[in-house]
Amino acid sequence: MKTAVLNIDGMMSVCDGLGVEKRLLTRPGILGVEANFLSGTATVRYDESKVTLADVKRMIAECSYHCSGEQVPLHIIRTPSDLHEGRYAEGKEHGSGHKGMPPTSAESPPETAPPPRHAGHDDRMAEAGAQAAMAHEMGHGGGMSMEAMVQDMQRRFIVALVFAIPVFIYSPLFTQVFQIQAPLPSGVSNELLSFILATPAVLYGGWVFYVGAWRALKNRVLNMAVLVSLSVLGGYAFSVGATFFFESEVFYEAASLLLVFVLFGHLMEMRARAGTSQAIRTLMNLAPPRATVIRDGRQVELSTSDVLVGDIVVIRPGDKVPVDGVVIEGMSEVDESMITGESVPVKKSERDEVIGATINKTGSFKFLATKVGRDTALAQIVKLVQEAQNSKASSQRLADRASQWLVIAAIAASIATFFIWYGVALEPLVFATTLAITVIVIACPDALGLATPTAVMVGTGLGAMNGILYKNAVALEEAGKINAVILDKTGTLTLGQPKVVEIVTAKDGLSEAEVLRLVASVEQGSEHPLAQAILEKAHEKGVRPGNVTDFDAIPGHGVSALVDGQRRVLIGNRKLMRDRQIAFTDVDNRAAVLQGAGRTVILAAVDGRLEGAFAVADAVRPTSREAVRRLTSMDIQVAMLTGDNRATAERIAAELGINTVFADVLPGDKAAKVWELQGQGKRVAMVGDGINDGPALAQADVGIAIGAGTDVAMETADVVLTRSDPLDVAKVVLLSRATRKKMQQNLWWAAGYNMIAFPIAAGILYPSIGLILRPEIAAIAMSGSSLVVALNALSLKRVKVKELVPAPEDVLLPEQASSSSQVTAATTTSVRHT
C-alpha cells in the first residue's frame, strides 16, 4: 500500500471533500481517502499493484477537480514543470547524473547553476503546490496560488459591489427606507435598468459558486455552492421573469446584495482558512533551495533536490543544512528549534548527525549526506502533519454527515416555507419567495463543516512547530481525554546512558581532580559505556588526561596502565583489587554503600593503594520531576514502568513524585500493565522509546514515542515527540485539551446558530412582531457564522505551548542529577573493559 497527499484544486466546502471521497472509494485499488477542503489536499491510500498515481489524478479529474500532484516540501521538487505535471510524485526524486552543470575551476568560487524557470508557475513553485483549496478551473482558474485566489475573489467582490450599489439605489426597498426616488434614464424602466446592472454582478461575481454547484451535483453531493447558486439564481431568474414575462415585483437588489455579502464572507473566510495551514506552509519551506556540495574535488552549488546520498555538503556560518547527514569535518553549533522545538543550539562535531532545515550558527563543517528527498526528517515530519490534518476525528465525521443533511433540510424547509406563506397564509408571491430564498441562504453548512477541521489543522500545525507530531485527528482528540500516563523509565524518565553520579576519594589521599585525571587518562580511547561516562565527567570538570604507557587489559575485571611514566593506575572491581593485593582504605566502605544503593561502582587504585571509587548510574532527565508535577496538576495519574527491582523503583518514583510503580516488569509484560489501568476505567497514555515498548504503545488509548525512540516505537505510537523531553508529554495533553475545547465550542456554535436561524428565516417572528430577514441580511449572518468558527479555531495559536517549561528552581540540573539519589539500578556490578 502507498500513501500520497495530493493537491486538489476547487474544493469550496466540506461537502466537496465528501464527494471526492465517495467517488474515489468506488474505484478498485483505492483503499482509503480523506479529503480536506481547508488545505485543498487529500490523503489517498492505494494498492500500487492495481493503481498508479497517474490513475488517481485521472480519477480526481473525473470528479471535475484539478490535481496538480503531490504536496511535498520544496527541497524535493526538481523543477517547476515537474511540480505542475506532478512528475515528482512518482519515480526518482533525484537525477542520477549531473547534466547541465557548467564546468568549474579549482580557483573559482562555488559555481551556481541557475534554477530552471517555467513561465506561469513561479507562484506554484513558491507555494510547493500548497493552499489551492479554493481554486476553480472555470472560476478562479486551476492551479492558482492562494494570493492569486484571494485577489480573484476580491475582484469579483468589487465588481459585484460596484453594480449592486446602483441596483439597491433604484430598488423599491431604498425608496421606502430613505424616501428618495432616484431619477431614471430616459426611456428605461426601473426593472430594465436593474436587470442591466444586476446581470454582470450575478454572472461574473457568482460564477465560482455556479461552477462549484455543478461540480458538487455531478459528484452527487450538496454543498454551500448549491445553496448560494439556488438562492442567487432563483431570485435573479424570478426577477427576470417579472421584468419580461409576467407582472410582479422584482428583487434584483436582494440577489445582488446577497451575492456581495456572500463574496465578502467567502473572501474573509478564505483568509482565515489560509491561516489554519500556516504551520504546514512554514514547514514545507524550511529547507534551503540551494546546497553547496563537493563534486570531483570542486565545490558546486546546486538545487537541494539534486543532492544525492553520499555527497559531501559544505556548511558555512549562517547556512541552513539542506539534507540529513553525519559530520565528517569541522565543528559548530546548530539551531534545531525549527525541527525539534529545542531552543538551545546543539554542538556538532565529527560523527554527530545533522538534520536538514536546521541553521548553522558560527562554525563551519562538512557532512556526508545520508538522507535526501523524501527520506529526510523534514519530509517525514511534513508527511506526518499532512496526514494528521487530513484525517478525521469522530466528531468531524458526525459533522460531515450532518452538513449533508443540513443542505437537504434547508432545501426542504425553503419549499415548505414558500408553500405555507403563499398557499396557506395567502401572502404575496414576492414575500413567500423572499422568505424561501432566505431560508436557503441562512442554512449554509459551512459553519458546521468548518467546526472541527479548522481546529484540527491549527492544533496539529501548532504541535508540529513545538516538536509534537500527532499522527491523526483521532490521536489529537483522544490525547485530551487521558487521565493516566505510564512513563517507561529507561530512556524516558532517565537519559538511558550511564553517567558518573558520585566520586569518592580517600580522606588522606589524592584529590578528586587528580584521581579523575589519572582514571580518565587510562580510559581514553576506550569505547566501553562506563569508560565513556568517566571521560565525559572529566570533560565536564575541565580535566585533561595524561599520557599512558604499559597498558594492560584484564578481561572481565578491569585495566592497568602507567600514567605520565610515574603513576601505576589499576581500575576495576573489588575482586581485582583483592587479587592484586591493593591496600584498602575508607573508600571501600563508602563504595559498598553506593553499590548497595543500586549503582555500578568502579574502584581505582594508584600505586598499590585504593584512592577512589566512581558511582555510575543512568541519570534522571533534568525535566522529569517537573513533567510529573505538571501531569499531576492536570489530574492525570502518573505511573512509572521499569524492569528494576521494587526497592530501587520505589525510591526513584518517590523522588519524582510518582505514586504508582510497576517494577520487575519483563519487556513482554508491559502491555499487560497498560491493560491493567484500562481495566480500572482509565484512559491511558503510554510513553516509551524502545522496541519492547511497541506492544504497550499499541495497547494504550494514546501511544507516545519520545524523540530518541526506535523506529518501531515511532511506527506504533499515535504521537511522536521530536525531543527526548518528558515535559513534552504535558504539552501533548495541554494542546489536545485546548483543541478539543475549540472543537466543542465550534460545534455548539454551529448547531445553535442553525437552530435559531432556521425558524427566524422562515418568518416565525413575522406574525407577532412583523420581523422578517431579507436574503442579504441572511447572507451576512451565514458568512459571519462561518467566520466566527474559523477565527475561534485560529485563536488556538494563542495557546502558549512553549511557555509550559519548568521554573529554574524546579529543574534538576545535570550536576544535581549526578549527585542525587534519583538514579536507576544498574544491571551489573562488574566492570569489563575490552
Side-chain angles (χ1 to χ4, degrees):
M1 182 183 75
K2 186 174 181 180
T3 300
V5 179
L6 302 173
N7 289 304
I8 301 181
D9 304 341
M11 292 192 292
M12 294 179 65
S13 74
V14 64
C15 299
D16 293 338
L18 292 175
V20 173
E21 293 174 5
K22 184 188 299 184
R23 288 287 293 272
L24 262 62
L25 286 172
T26 62
R27 305 302 179 88
I30 302 295
L31 306 177
V33 184
E34 290 178 313
N36 186 343
F37 81 105
L38 284 170
S39 62
T41 62
T43 300
V44 182
R45 291 176 288 279
Y46 59 95
D47 186 342
E48 293 177 272
S49 64
K50 298 179 181 178
V51 180
T52 65
L53 191 62
D55 294 330
V56 176
K57 290 178 63 179
R58 280 194 295 270
M59 294 175 192
I60 294 173
E62 291 172 6
C63 299
S64 298
Y65 297 102
H66 173 70
C67 177
S68 56
E70 278 192 271
Q71 188 183 58
V72 295
L74 284 174
H75 72 282
I76 294 179
I77 302 170
R78 297 202 65 216
T79 68
S81 56
D82 284 342
L83 173 64
H84 176 64
E85 297 297 332
R87 288 195 292 268
Y88 61 88
E90 283 193 313
K92 297 180 180 178
E93 295 118 19
H94 309 283
S96 56
H98 311 292
K99 295 179 181 179
M101 201 178 300
T104 59
S105 63
E107 294 79 22
S108 65
E111 189 71 30
T112 300
R117 309 291 288 178
H118 191 283
H121 295 286
D122 287 346
D123 285 340
R124 297 293 290 171
M125 187 63 178
E127 287 291 328
Q131 292 300 309
M134 291 150 284
H136 305 285
E137 290 169 332
M138 297 176 67
H140 286 310
M144 276 190 179
S145 67
M146 173 56 70
E147 289 77 9
M149 285 187 287
V150 170
Q151 291 174 3
D152 181 58
M153 183 62 72
Q154 188 170 296
R155 283 193 298 269
R156 294 177 188 277
F157 164 70
I158 292 173
V159 169
L161 179 63
V162 167
F163 282 97
I165 290 174
V167 171
F168 176 64
I169 291 174
Y170 282 102
S171 69
L173 177 63
F174 180 85
T175 302
Q176 294 169 10
V177 173
F178 296 99
Q179 299 297 313
I180 299 175
Q181 179 65 56
L184 290 167
S186 176
V188 179
S189 66
N190 190 307
E191 291 80 3
L192 181 59
L193 180 61
S194 296
F195 165 75
I196 294 172
L197 293 171
T199 297
V202 170
L203 295 184
Y204 176 73
W207 190 251
V208 290
F209 299 111
Y210 312 146
V211 173
W214 170 83
R215 185 185 295 123
L217 294 174
K218 181 180 178 182
N219 293 325
R220 296 187 292 277
V221 296
L222 299 172
N223 65 358
M224 178 267 290
V226 172
L227 294 183
V228 172
S229 298
L230 279 175
S231 54
V232 172
L233 292 179
Y236 175 76
F238 179 87
S239 299
V240 170
T243 301
F244 297 104
F245 302 107
F246 55 84
E247 290 292 330
S248 178
E249 292 184 43
V250 296
F251 44 92
Y252 287 112
E253 82 285 354
S256 300
L257 290 175
L258 163 62
L259 188 58
V260 167
F261 291 131
V262 169
L263 284 168
F264 178 74
H266 196 58
L267 176 62
M268 294 298 101
E269 186 182 315
M270 283 174 67
R271 289 175 172 168
R273 283 158 59 174
T276 63
S277 53
Q278 179 182 356
I280 194 71
R281 293 205 312 274
T282 301
L283 284 172
M284 296 187 77
N285 295 329
L286 276 179
R290 312 288 288 174
T292 302
V293 302
I294 297 177
R295 295 267 174 89
D296 299 325
R298 301 183 180 92
Q299 290 188 17
V300 180
E301 185 176 314
L302 43 75
S303 172
T304 299
S305 61
D306 289 326
V307 177
L308 305 175
V309 172
D311 275 339
I312 295 176
V313 184
V314 179
I315 300 296
R316 301 179 181 86
D319 283 355
K320 273 190 174 184
V321 178
V323 296
D324 299 356
V326 177
V327 178
I328 59 174
E329 181 184 319
M331 62 185 301
S332 182
E333 289 188 341
V334 177
D335 179 2
E336 297 183 342
S337 60
M338 61 288 301
I339 298 294
T340 66
E342 178 60 66
S343 58
V344 180
V346 181
K347 186 177 180 180
K348 300 291 182 181
S349 56
E350 288 185 28
R351 295 189 294 181
D352 287 336
E353 294 184 353
V354 289
I355 307 172
T358 56
I359 302 174
N360 182 39
K361 303 300 284 185
T362 56
S364 299
F365 61 90
K366 297 177 182 177
F367 73 91
L368 184 70
T370 57
K371 293 181 180 178
V372 299
R374 298 173 189 275
D375 296 327
T376 61
L378 174 63
Q380 294 299 313
I381 289 173
V382 167
K383 184 177 181 181
L384 202 61
V385 176
Q386 286 173 332
E387 292 178 4
Q389 292 186 339
N390 287 355
S391 65
K392 297 184 178 181
S394 55
S395 57
Q396 184 177 342
R397 296 184 186 279
L398 179 63
D400 287 353
R401 291 194 294 271
S403 297
Q404 280 284 278
W405 285 106
L406 182 60
V407 176
I408 296 173
I411 295 174
S414 174
I415 295 172
T417 299
F418 176 83
F419 281 109
I420 289 173
W421 285 111
Y422 184 66
V424 178
L426 302 178
E427 291 291 340
L429 178 63
V430 172
F431 179 87
T433 302
T434 301
L435 289 185
I437 292 175
T438 302
V439 169
I440 288 181
V441 172
I442 209 164
C444 178
D446 260 21
L448 189 60
L450 283 167
T452 300
T454 47
V456 168
M457 288 195 69
V458 176
T460 52
L462 186 59
M465 300 306 292
N466 286 277
I468 301 169
L469 305 177
Y470 297 93
K471 284 191 174 180
N472 50 59
V474 175
L476 178 63
E477 194 173 36
E478 291 298 317
K481 301 177 184 177
I482 63 170
N483 50 24
V485 172
I486 297 178
L487 295 159
D488 186 56
K489 176 185 65 62
T490 306
T492 301
L493 289 171
T494 67
L495 295 171
Q497 57 189 19
K499 298 284 184 181
V500 174
V501 295
E502 192 166 348
I503 301 175
V504 174
T505 59
K507 292 182 179 178
D508 56 349
L510 300 174
S511 67
E512 178 181 309
E514 179 63 11
V515 172
L516 179 59
R517 187 187 75 84
L518 294 172
V519 174
S521 300
V522 177
E523 298 288 15
Q524 61 184 326
S526 173
E527 294 183 358
H528 193 283
L530 297 178
Q532 290 295 313
I534 292 174
L535 290 169
E536 183 178 340
K537 174 59 71 173
H539 178 73
E540 290 177 5
K541 297 288 188 179
V543 174
R544 301 186 64 178
N547 298 319
V548 175
T549 56
D550 195 19
F551 183 88
D552 180 28
I554 309 166
H557 293 86
V559 294
S560 173
L562 192 65
V563 179
D564 294 333
Q566 299 176 349
R567 298 276 195 175
R568 170 61 62 178
V569 181
L570 181 68
I571 305 171
N573 53 25
R574 182 176 285 102
K575 184 178 184 301
L576 176 63
M577 299 299 161
R578 288 200 183 102
D579 291 345
R580 295 298 178 95
Q581 299 181 343
I582 298 300
F584 281 83
T585 62
D586 61 303
V587 170
D588 184 53
N589 294 330
R590 292 157 68 190
V593 175
L594 292 172
Q595 190 165 310
R599 299 166 181 169
T600 297
V601 176
I602 303 171
L603 300 177
V606 180
D607 295 334
R609 183 174 186 268
L610 187 61
E611 291 286 353
F614 295 78
V616 180
D618 185 5
V620 166
R621 290 188 184 277
T623 56
S624 291
R625 184 164 53 195
E626 175 63 8
V628 172
R629 188 179 74 82
R630 293 279 187 175
L631 290 168
T632 304
S633 70
M634 296 179 182
D635 295 324
I636 294 174
Q637 178 184 351
V638 181
M640 185 181 75
L641 186 149
T642 177
D644 284 348
N645 62 72
R646 170 66 57 178
T648 301
E650 287 185 348
R651 182 176 64 255
I652 298 167
E655 296 200 23
L656 287 177
I658 299 175
N659 297 321
T660 305
V661 179
F662 298 119
D664 297 312
V665 179
L666 297 175
D669 295 335
K670 291 185 176 182
K673 297 303 178 183
V674 175
W675 183 84
E676 183 179 322
L677 280 185
Q678 290 174 327
Q680 300 173 14
K682 301 285 187 180
R683 286 183 173 271
V684 182
M686 171 68 194
V687 186
D689 73 329
I691 293 176
N692 54 33
D693 296 328
L697 292 170
Q699 173 66 37
D701 296 285
V702 178
I704 303 175
I706 204 161
T710 64
D711 292 340
V712 174
M714 293 191 178
E715 184 67 27
T716 310
D718 304 299
V719 183
V720 176
L721 306 180
T722 60
R723 297 188 303 170
S724 297
D725 188 349
L727 189 60
D728 284 352
V729 179
K731 295 180 182 179
V732 169
V733 180
L734 171 75
L735 184 55
S736 296
R737 287 183 176 180
T739 304
R740 286 187 68 241
K741 185 177 181 180
K742 292 302 177 185
M743 290 181 186
Q744 293 165 355
Q745 289 173 351
N746 284 351
L747 287 170
W748 277 109
W749 168 265
Y753 161 80
N754 282 291
M755 289 178 64
I756 296 172
F758 251 122
I760 293 178
I764 194 173
L765 298 178
Y766 180 70
S768 57
I769 60 175
L771 175 66
I772 65 168
L773 288 180
R774 291 186 59 82
E776 54 269 33
I777 304 302
I780 295 176
M782 177 268 291
S783 299
S785 175
S786 299
L787 194 58
V788 165
V789 167
L791 293 176
N792 187 47
L794 286 173
S795 68
L796 259 177
K797 293 183 177 182
R798 294 201 298 267
V799 176
K800 303 299 183 181
V801 180
K802 288 187 177 180
E803 292 183 5
L804 189 66
V805 295
E809 62 271 17
D810 294 327
V811 177
L812 187 64
L813 298 176
E815 54 269 24
Q816 293 173 318
S818 299
S819 59
S820 168
S821 59
Q822 297 179 39
V823 293
T824 60
T827 57
T828 178
T829 55
S830 64
V831 182
R832 292 183 298 170
H833 291 273
T834 58

